[in-house]
Amino acid sequence: MKALVCVVLAAGEGRRMRSGVPKVLHRLNGVPMLHYIVGSARALNPEGLIVVAGKDNRRQLEESLGPGGVRFVTQEAPLGTAHALQSARKALRGFRGDVLVLNGDTPLITTGTLKRFITRHRRAGNSLSILSFTPPDPAGYGRVLRDGSGRPLMIVEEPDATVEQRGIGEVNSGVYLIRHDALPLLKEVRRNRRKKEYYLTDLLGIALRRGLGCGVYQLGEEREFMGVNTKEELLQAQRVLRERTVKHWLDRDVGFMDESAVFIHPEAVIGEGTFIYPNVCIEGKTRIGRWCVVYPNVRIAESVIGDRVVIKDSSVIESAEIGDGSAIGPFARLRPGTTVMEGASIGNFVEVKASTIGRGTKAQHHSYIGDAEVGGGVNIGAGTITCNYDGLKKHKTVIEEGVFIGSDTQLVAPVRIGKGAYVAAGTTVTEDVPPGALAIGRAPGRVIKGWAKKRRAKS
Ligand code: UD1
Ligand code: MG
């Protein structure tokens, strides 16, 4: 957007969080709070995007946001929100236009609301505009004071407010638009006597006294302005975000048995017709296809799931790819680097790591498949183990198309089982098996007739 720079204030210590983690890095649906407001600001396409960080949290904030056009400035000491913005003045030198100031702890504000706010501010030709809202409980927020005809007068922070002022329901959201020519007024903000901080909110009174055009507007939905200062507020924000995400997917024909018991990462994608049972976590940039069923207690992270896949109860899927029409679980564990191809079936207590499972292949019970390449149409019997680790290195197992692996088999890698071969139950395979062969390595058993009777007679 032309002549717009966004500044996100994120240097505060966040003491009310009572945590060693910087407040704005606390996670909401798995994503640090700061990412949300930075994302909403970035979507405005501003000329510049500045984050004000503290001396102690700058490195963590930079690492968390990563590269991506954000400029960082340091507020040398946490002396309040006006002081924080003042720290960005150098970076704003020569800029002509509007500075959109956002608090780093208001993650739910949407780009749409910010756009409407910018339009209002510009249409009014204001030097300073502030977004306000009326929360169910105004406690903790700065109250907006207006005169008898509704014109804004000033903002009073809660500790400085009289009992009467505390009764005001309209509060400051922490979103401001300041035209470049009003920025020098920041120098006139005096230190608050009680908290010894420079309050950005004082700018309203100062600008009005100068006769500058100011406006305080109520736009958007109340709950999108909620500030997160405590762990309890973090949970409340999480609930709002969850409802927003669930609504988004409901509108796209995804079904839920209990929408209050699912976690869906904001960047996850779910196809139409998919149904999700309770206690399901869909994390990271997971993509789930259409017409899938995800049963209870499943965690899927950073994975790609095809169409018509059934993921049965209590399965864990991490950084894996699952082809159309496959069946996973119950109690399956797919670890990073696993690819399960179309129509395959990974059953109970089967762990797969860094392996490819071919089309229509079945591994239904109690197995470990690691560093393996398994072809299509293979049957892996119960209790099959790829012995991929020799104590020093990992080795590969190749099982070609159409192989039958009997139950309770160990495949000591590196090893290859040729196309269509059979491995008899109970075999430990230590050398390659040619295509079409049978590998059998059972110790011969004995049956001793009448033994039990003799044994019992002894006791
Ligand atoms: C602030 C507003 C209040 C408003 C509320 C909305 C002030 C004085 N008060 O209160 O009117 O209703 O937000 O949520 O602005 N920060 C810095 N440096 C500092 C102090 C804070 O960068 O020295 C940052 C924080 O990291 C935070 C933001 O500014 O992201 C707001 O600070 P916070 O302490 O949360 O202010 P509130 O008490 O919530
Ligand atoms: Mg706050």
Side-chain angles (χ1 to χ4, degrees), residues 40 57-58 126 149 276 327 367:
S40 299
N57 69 12
R58 176 166 173 165
N126 286 343
S149 22
I276 298 178
S367 288

Side-chain angles (χ1 to χ4, degrees), residues 320-324 326-328 334 338-346 352 355-359 361:
E321 228 174 280
I322 299 173
D324 295 346
S326 303
I328 310 295
L334 304 189
T338 295
T339 302
V340 175
M341 295 186 16
E342 217 178 307
S345 198
I346 303 294
V352 186
S355 298
T356 305
I357 308 293
R359 277 171 149 226
T361 286

Side-chain angles (χ1 to χ4, degrees), residues 16 23 103 105 227-229:
R16 284 169 279 179
K23 173 167 81 172
N103 282 352
D105 65 350
V228 177
N229 303 291

Side-chain angles (χ1 to χ4, degrees), residues 9-13 16 23-24 52 75 77-81 83-84 102-106 133 140-143 155 157 171-174 176 195 197-201 225-229:
L9 309 182
E13 293 174 307
R16 284 169 279 179
K23 173 167 81 172
V24 294
V52 181
Q75 182 188 13
L79 294 177
T81 41
H83 184 263
L102 302 157
N103 282 352
D105 65 350
T106 50
F133 69 113
Y141 293 103
R143 310 295 203 280
I155 293 170
E157 289 305 302
V171 302
N172 169 29
S173 71
Y176 317 80
K195 272 200 84 185
E197 285 188 1
Y198 298 90
Y199 287 168
L200 184 51
T201 45
F225 300 110
M226 133 173 225
V228 177
N229 303 291

Side-chain angles (χ1 to χ4, degrees), residues 79 189-194 196-199 202:
L79 294 177
V189 174
R190 296 285 152 253
R191 218 166 172 164
N192 175 278
R193 261 185 271 145
R194 208 181 299 258
K196 309 270 178 278
E197 285 188 1
Y198 298 90
Y199 287 168
D202 286 351

Side-chain angles (χ1 to χ4, degrees), residues 76-211:
E76 291 300 328
L79 294 177
T81 41
H83 184 263
L85 183 57
Q86 186 68 8
S87 313
R89 283 295 298 286
K90 241 197 212 156
L92 292 167
R93 197 176 287 155
F95 170 69
R96 297 247 166 284
D98 294 306
V99 179
L100 175 67
V101 182
L102 302 157
N103 282 352
D105 65 350
T106 50
L108 305 176
I109 296 176
T110 59
T111 306
T113 301
L114 294 176
K115 275 189 184 155
R116 284 166 60 204
F117 178 48
I118 295 165
T119 308
R120 267 302 252 290
H121 165 80
R122 289 186 173 168
R123 208 181 285 151
N126 286 343
S127 294
L128 170 67
S129 298
I130 298 176
L131 257 183
S132 69
F133 69 113
T134 309
D137 176 9
Y141 293 103
R143 310 295 203 280
V144 177
L145 268 54
R146 294 182 184 262
D147 67 13
S149 22
R151 275 189 295 262
L153 292 172
M154 63 190 291
I155 293 170
V156 185
E157 289 305 302
E158 183 159 287
D160 305 318
T162 61
V163 174
E164 199 179 292
Q165 288 166 340
R166 285 183 193 197
I168 296 172
E170 185 187 6
V171 302
N172 169 29
S173 71
V175 181
Y176 317 80
L177 271 163
I178 308 173
R179 207 167 62 197
H180 64 93
D181 52 329
L183 285 172
L185 295 183
L186 277 172
K187 283 215 198 78
E188 294 182 25
V189 174
R190 296 285 152 253
R191 218 166 172 164
N192 175 278
R193 261 185 271 145
R194 208 181 299 258
K195 272 200 84 185
K196 309 270 178 278
E197 285 188 1
Y198 298 90
Y199 287 168
L200 184 51
T201 45
D202 286 351
L203 205 62
L204 177 63
I206 295 170
L208 284 167
R209 278 199 296 280
R210 288 295 184 93

